Amino acid sequence: MKGRTGRERVEDALYVAGFLALGVLLYLVVPDVAIRWGDGPEPSAWTVLGLLAVAALGHTQRRVRPVLGLAVALAALLGMAQVAFVPLAVMMVIGDLLYCAVLYTSERLSWTVAGATAAVAGGAALVSLVAEGGRAAVLVILNLGLVLAVPVLWGREVRLHRGQAAAERERAEQAARMAELDRAAAVAAERARMARDLHDVIAGQLSGIAIQSEAALNLPDPDPAVLRRVLQSVRRDSVASLAEMRTMIGLLRADGAGDADPRTAPAGLDRLGALLESAVGTGLRIEVDDARGAADLPAAVDLAAFRIVQESLTNAAKHAPGSRVHLRLADHEGELVIEIENDLVPGAPPGGGTGTGLLGVHERAGAVGGTVAAGADGDRWRVRAILPVPAAAGASR
């Protein structure tokens, strides 16, 4: 059973003191506000106040054992029935403990308390009807309905709303967990795709190294200049392969995903023309400013750049259909700078995206040590990626 916190103990003690003080005040100021029957003598003040204190002590259990607290108050009520005098404060204590017994107990026990309360009220009304007639029965129903039915119905209503709030909170937490799982799945899928691309690049480079090495070994009288060029090419490809393999190993370590998907030839900026043609087919109007130098890019950087441009154009087609797009590629102090801007189209229909596209762009850039900034800039959406290009970027692919 869940225990009470220090604050709850203090609150329960205040309930006990409050109901006791209220009962004493009502008894001293308006002693006639009570349920009386019979012609017996008036009970002493100490008897009334003592039984009232017993009833108020039931509030010490109002949270953890509300049924026990209610039983204590009912015992005080039976004591007052012996002297045929029940002050109003005692009925208020019983009403509040009924509310607690309905609210803080299990669902089954809550319904049991509510049913028992209805049975008591109905039985009292039936006895009054038989013994004293319809008028008395109506008065009993009204009095017991006010004292007993209202707390029970109120407790059930609060319990219902708390259950609905808990269910909504659980659904929100589940949705947040699912969103986090979707995000993790998107990251894993993007990393696996990058690792497969790099694997294919490395495989091609190693195949080139093997072919060039075999050719050099089979030359009958190798020209030293030719042999030197072959060895330089082998070394360049070897260094590039090692660098890209380190990138791939880092991705696999971060992800741990398998390689079950079929491999395709990895894409790079050499396929930019086909990518732009496909984007124009979606209705985009694209302007290209390619200010790059002639040097080849490392495969990992080339792949990342292509995917960043591809995802940016896809987002523009989804969220700003028919807009003008400006693509700029440039070399700047050992870095490849990619800028894609498109008009923001007012009232454009939702693209239906999941938000994982930009996440993949950040993953691509981060995998090669670069950065990406994306967001609205006035009436345009702007993506700016900066990818570092190592000094050996001129190595043959």
Side-chain angles (χ1 to χ4, degrees), residues 271-298:
R271 300 190 186 181
L272 186 60
L275 176 61
L276 296 176
E277 182 179 351
S278 176
V280 169
T282 65
L284 295 177
R285 294 166 290 162
I286 304 176
E287 302 173 358
V288 180
D289 180 9
D290 192 347
R292 292 178 295 152
D296 287 340
L297 296 172

Side-chain angles (χ1 to χ4, degrees), residues 22-24 26-28 30-37 43 45 47-53 55 76-77 79-81 83-94 147:
L22 178 62
V24 171
L26 289 176
Y27 179 72
L28 296 177
V30 283
D32 292 336
V33 182
I35 301 175
R36 301 169 184 266
W37 63 93
T47 300
V48 174
L49 295 179
L51 292 173
L52 177 62
L77 178 64
M80 290 183 173
V83 297
F85 182 84
V86 181
L88 176 62
V90 172
M91 300 306 297
M92 294 173 63
V93 169
I94 291 175
V147 176

Side-chain angles (χ1 to χ4, degrees), residues 55 58-59 61-62 65-77 93-102 113 116-117 148:
H59 277 90
Q61 305 296 318
R62 65 189 302 274
R65 299 180 185 88
V67 176
L68 176 60
L70 179 61
V72 171
L74 291 176
L77 178 64
V93 169
I94 291 175
D96 185 69
L97 288 172
L98 269 175
Y99 167 80
C100 296
V102 171
V113 172
T117 303
L148 302 181

Side-chain angles (χ1 to χ4, degrees), residues 236-277:
R236 285 196 302 269
D237 283 350
S238 301
V239 171
S241 296
L242 287 173
E244 289 153 7
M245 187 173 290
R246 282 193 294 270
T247 301
M248 182 179 70
I249 291 173
L251 290 170
L252 293 176
R253 283 179 177 174
D255 175 46
D259 190 18
D261 293 344
R263 294 196 178 104
T264 58
L269 291 178
D270 55 342
R271 300 190 186 181
L272 186 60
L275 176 61
L276 296 176
E277 182 179 351

Side-chain angles (χ1 to χ4, degrees), residues 2 63 76 80 109 126 155 177 179 184 196 215 222 230 274 282 288 293 313 317-318 341 345 348 360 364 368 372 392:
K2 182 179 177 181
R63 295 179 191 271
M80 290 183 173
L109 189 53
L126 181 60
R177 289 194 295 269
R196 287 193 299 271
V230 172
T282 65
V288 180
L313 294 176
K318 283 183 178 180
E341 294 183 350
V345 178
R364 286 278 179 178
V368 296
V372 173

Side-chain angles (χ1 to χ4, degrees), residues 314-345:
T314 300
N315 285 339
K318 283 183 178 180
H319 303 290
S323 63
R324 290 186 301 110
V325 180
H326 181 76
L327 169 63
R328 180 174 178 270
L329 303 169
D331 297 325
H332 179 69
E333 297 181 355
E335 295 175 333
L336 174 64
V337 179
I338 305 171
E339 293 182 347
I340 306 102
E341 294 183 350
N342 64 270
D343 298 327
L344 294 175
V345 178

Side-chain angles (χ1 to χ4, degrees), residues 139-206:
L139 291 176
V140 168
I141 291 176
L142 292 177
N143 290 328
L144 292 181
L146 180 64
V147 176
L148 302 181
V150 170
V152 170
L153 294 176
W154 188 8
R156 288 302 308 173
E157 188 69 16
V158 173
R159 188 185 184 99
L160 175 63
H161 284 294
R162 285 189 177 183
Q164 292 174 344
E168 288 296 329
R169 185 164 54 250
E170 177 63 24
R171 279 194 289 270
E173 292 173 354
Q174 185 176 4
R177 289 194 295 269
M178 292 301 297
E180 184 63 25
L181 290 175
D182 290 343
R183 179 184 181 279
V187 171
E190 187 67 17
R191 286 176 175 171
R193 186 181 182 187
M194 294 162 67
R196 287 193 299 271
D197 287 347
L198 288 173
H199 178 279
D200 293 342
V201 169
I202 294 168
Q205 289 173 333
L206 293 179

